Amino acid sequence: MTGRSVVAADNAVASPSEAIADVVLGPQHKSLPPAAWGLTVREYLATAPHLDHLQTPVLTLDRAALDANRAVMADWARAAGVRLAPHGKTSMSPQLWREQLDVGAWGITLATGWQAQIGRALGLNRIMLANALLDPVGLHWAAAEIANDPNFELYSWVDGVDSVREMERHLEAAPDGVRLNVLVELGGPHGRTGARGLAAAHEVAAAVGKSSRLRLAGVGGYEGALAHDRTDAGLAAVRHYLDEIAILHQELAAAGGYDEFVGQPVEAGLSGETTRPNRRSAIVTAGGSAYPDLVVERLAGLADEAGAHGVSTTVVLRSGAYLVHDDGFYSGISPLAAGRTERPLRSAMHGWARCVSRPETELALLDAGKRDLPFDEGLPVPQRMAGPASTPLPAAAHVSALNDQHAFLLLPGGADADVPVGSVVRLGLSHPCTAFDKWRLIPVIDDADAERPRVVEFLPTFF
């Protein structure tokens, strides 16, 4: 990007929205019109642009839905007695991280060392790295950051004794006293990473306990790898796995596996929230966006930040997709989707694509493809025509395939008048985690259901 970077000189961004306002727009910003090139974001927004001023294809976020979803999840987690560390890799958008921290998020979760470095450069002071930090460059960076600022909280995962040795090897040259907080990751059969079984997890914890460079900070894992639906079998598998995480934490606590820790309150970053107690709190963490209800059901009872019943314990939920939600996978599985709760999440992302060809009566070709829209958890769903008519499409209309730059929209029994060449179709999307990474600057509109949505801001992403 040209113009001022969103990374401030002091590595702390008080307001990402203010920083992005001075970015100069240009042809590198997908779907923005040439009329915007050379203007700053602030200057372009002052022209009161509408969605129909942008080129297609375009991905948009709905400001009203973002605000509603953020409040729903913050209130839900608070009522459940758990902390929220939203998975920032979903959006890689510091502006959205800031908004989540502003309503009480405990920290931000990230997935790679590089993502953690981005988060730290943008002012985050508490980062959950839901992965094993084994890259030498990343470990050296982490050691330097901890040495420079003892109040910086970075939590990495570890799932094997060999991984413990590898971490220690690359931390040997770290300054005296530097220790990296690690959580023992418990896995499940045919799952992703994670120690297979409680015995293996205890071996990892014992290796961490002997290390002068690592500190056992808790336990965690990812239940979403063990099921992909809400069938009885899927829910039972998730519950069993979460119960084992609880058992692991309780056994480690009973065995004295958690070090004592005393420190001063620290800002979580970007929002200025201070939540760290003056005594160490062990972390128990799980939770994507598919089964947060089960995480609360099986783990929330472990929360004891005052340490009234032994080891001070903080339960951290890492859901990331809730902020944007979707019209596909998460709308079908989330306990907070419409039809499952009185205060549901709603999709805040949409694709807008133009019909560029009607080569057959029942086929329309749209100008959005794999380079523009997510497709790994379901193809886009045609919802309605854009513009004054806002005509809903027939229920039988569906996207059958995506090419790099085209969508095949099938219109059983359709006619040219249904989706004429030149018209724009609004598409519901599935899986926000693979939507954001296709866009470096995402327009935010006031209301995707409006007759003529207005562009109210832009969100940068870091991928």
Side-chain angles (χ1 to χ4, degrees):
M1 291 182 182
T2 55
R4 194 179 80 187
S5 167
V6 296
V7 182
D10 60 359
N11 285 338
V13 179
S15 175
S17 59
E18 292 178 6
I20 191 62
D22 291 327
V23 167
V24 177
L25 301 172
Q28 70 272 31
H29 297 118
K30 188 161 68 169
S31 295
L32 291 189
W37 300 352
L39 300 178
T40 65
V41 168
R42 180 186 290 107
E43 291 168 340
Y44 182 57
L45 290 175
T47 68
H50 286 74
L51 178 61
D52 55 18
H53 290 140
L54 306 182
Q55 303 180 76
T56 55
V58 64
L59 174 82
T60 64
L61 296 175
D62 184 319
R63 173 43 69 188
L66 288 172
D67 292 346
N69 292 346
R70 186 176 63 250
V72 165
M73 193 63 176
D75 292 345
W76 187 86
R78 191 177 299 113
V82 299
R83 299 284 190 172
L84 189 61
H87 212 321
K89 58 91 178 171
T90 299
S91 68
M92 287 303 292
S93 171
Q95 191 162 326
L96 295 183
W97 299 346
R98 161 67 182 267
E99 293 174 8
Q100 291 169 305
L101 290 165
D102 280 347
V103 294
W106 174 88
I108 296 294
T109 299
L110 294 165
T112 69
W114 175 79
Q115 289 178 2
Q117 291 155 23
I118 287 286
R120 182 62 172 159
L122 294 170
L124 293 178
N125 289 331
R126 185 184 287 126
I127 296 172
M128 174 71 70
L129 183 60
N131 213 336
L133 183 58
L134 294 177
D135 181 81
V137 174
L139 284 166
H140 296 159
W141 165 82
E145 286 294 312
I146 294 167
N148 185 58
D149 181 4
N151 285 329
F152 170 47
E153 291 186 48
L154 175 66
Y155 299 89
S156 174
W157 291 8
V158 64
D159 71 350
V161 174
D162 51 349
S163 296
V164 170
R165 295 194 189 105
E166 187 72 1
M167 286 180 168
E168 288 183 301
R169 183 168 74 87
H170 293 296
L171 291 173
E172 283 179 351
D176 291 342
V178 168
R179 298 172 75 190
L180 176 64
N181 294 319
V182 295
L183 278 66
V184 175
E185 180 190 1
L186 184 67
H190 313 297
R192 204 165 61 184
T193 53
R196 295 303 198 255
L198 292 173
H202 276 287
E203 290 180 4
V204 178
V208 173
K210 296 175 183 177
S211 173
S212 63
R213 289 302 185 185
L214 305 177
R215 176 187 292 113
L216 182 62
V219 299
Y222 175 55
E223 74 288 347
L226 303 179
H228 210 65
D229 53 42
R230 296 189 78 86
T231 61
D232 289 345
L235 297 179
V238 170
R239 285 190 172 101
H240 175 74
Y241 170 69
L242 294 171
D243 286 344
E244 291 214 317
I245 288 180
I247 291 170
L248 177 60
H249 167 68
Q250 291 166 329
E251 290 179 346
L252 290 175
Y258 296 120
D259 297 331
E260 287 298 316
F261 184 93
V262 177
Q264 298 301 313
V266 61
E267 293 183 356
L270 300 182
S271 70
E273 180 225 13
T274 56
T275 60
R276 176 167 152 187
N278 286 332
R279 60 181 297 177
R280 178 168 180 269
S281 190
I283 307 301
V284 177
T285 180
S289 298
Y291 306 105
D293 54 331
L294 301 189
V295 174
V296 166
E297 174 189 303
R298 310 314 264 199
L299 299 182
L302 299 175
D304 180 19
E305 294 189 358
H309 304 289
V311 173
S312 175
T313 302
T314 297
V315 176
V316 178
L317 185 66
R318 304 188 314 276
S319 306
Y322 74 87
L323 186 62
V324 175
H325 198 50
D326 69 8
D327 284 308
F329 175 71
Y330 287 109
S331 68
I333 199 170
S334 170
L336 298 177
R340 298 192 180 99
T341 180
E342 293 182 358
R343 194 181 172 198
L345 303 172
R346 67 180 197 263
S347 181
M349 66 174 179
H350 298 89
W352 306 81
R354 193 176 306 276
C355 177
V356 294
S357 177
R358 288 297 306 266
E360 301 170 13
T361 302
E362 297 187 342
L363 175 64
L365 276 299
L366 309 181
D367 64 355
K370 295 178 180 178
R371 302 295 177 88
D372 313 299
L373 305 175
F375 57 92
D376 60 314
E377 289 286 359
L379 293 171
V381 178
Q383 295 179 326
R384 64 172 178 81
M385 305 299 293
S390 297
T391 308
L393 289 171
H398 65 281
V399 172
S400 63
L402 290 183
N403 288 165
D404 283 353
Q405 303 291 176
H406 290 93
F408 289 72
L409 175 58
L410 298 187
L411 299 162
D416 288 349
D418 296 327
V419 183
V421 169
S423 63
V424 174
V425 176
R426 190 182 85 177
L427 300 167
L429 306 176
S430 179
H431 201 200
C433 295
T434 50
F436 281 77
D437 61 0
K438 302 177 190 302
W439 298 81
R440 299 291 77 79
L441 194 68
I442 302 176
V444 181
I445 54 179
D446 57 349
D447 183 358
D449 292 327
E451 181 177 299
R452 192 178 181 224
R454 184 169 56 91
V455 180
V456 294
E457 60 187 297
F458 289 92
L459 292 178
T461 65
F462 291 79
F463 284 98

